[in-house]
């Protein structure tokens, strides 16, 4: 069983930036494509950013050009840099595998509001 621990959330004004971190037990990041997901109140969880085991990235249209997913060289942490935040980015953010995500962590909340 893998444990994901997300951190870095908070309250930020529109146009602001935040950086999330995700740590997981084991060497999962070097093996599996990883993603950041988010779930806004009353909405289904959606995938917003993906990083493959080779380091290639892909983004949902809603965050393209504003969010950047990355992984540290030791492959122990996955990051999500979020710039130009909008109120519609308000959600709980989670990291997990791309394929068959499971063992969801508690996530980290971001609220974008003036």
């Amino acid at each position: 069983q893998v444990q994901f621990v997300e951190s870095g959330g908070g309250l930020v004004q529109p146009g602001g930036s935040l950086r999330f971190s995700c740590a997981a037990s084991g060497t999962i990041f070097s093996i599996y494509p990883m993603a950041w997901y988010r779930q806004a109140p009353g909405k289904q969880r959606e995938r917003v950013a993906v990083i493959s085991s080779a380091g290639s990235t892909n983004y949902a249209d809603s965050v393209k050009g504003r969010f950047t997913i990355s992984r540290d060289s030791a492959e122990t942490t996955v990051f999500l840099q979020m710039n130009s935040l909008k109120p519609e980015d308000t959600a709980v953010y989670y990291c997990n595998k791309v394929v068959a995500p499971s063992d969801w962590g508690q996530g980290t909340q971001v609220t974008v509001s003036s």
Side-chain angles (χ1 to χ4, degrees):
Q1 184 177 0
V2 179
Q3 283 189 315
F4 297 101
V5 180
E6 301 93 349
S7 61
L11 173 63
V12 62
Q13 291 187 342
S17 298
L18 280 175
R19 190 189 196 210
F20 290 162
S21 298
C22 173
S25 57
T27 57
I28 188 171
F29 295 151
S30 65
I31 300 173
Y32 298 104
M34 295 296 299
W36 282 95
Y37 300 79
R38 69 184 180 187
Q39 187 166 21
K43 295 188 177 181
Q44 288 190 329
R45 188 175 289 157
E46 63 171 337
R47 192 171 69 197
V48 297
V50 171
I51 186 165
S52 74
S53 54
S56 60
T57 59
N58 199 9
Y59 301 92
D61 288 343
S62 58
V63 307
K64 198 171 293 184
R66 301 187 298 120
F67 289 12
T68 303
I69 187 171
S70 61
R71 190 174 57 214
D72 71 341
S73 57
E75 297 180 328
T76 60
T77 308
V78 173
F79 304 99
L80 185 68
Q81 177 68 42
M82 306 189 298
N83 299 327
S84 302
L85 283 162
K86 305 175 180 179
E88 50 264 43
D89 295 320
T90 295
V92 179
Y93 286 73
Y94 306 85
C95 70
N96 212 309
K97 297 180 295 181
V98 171
V99 179
S102 62
D103 303 318
W104 294 92
Q106 292 194 338
T108 186
Q109 170 77 48
V110 60
T111 302
V112 184
S113 175
S114 56

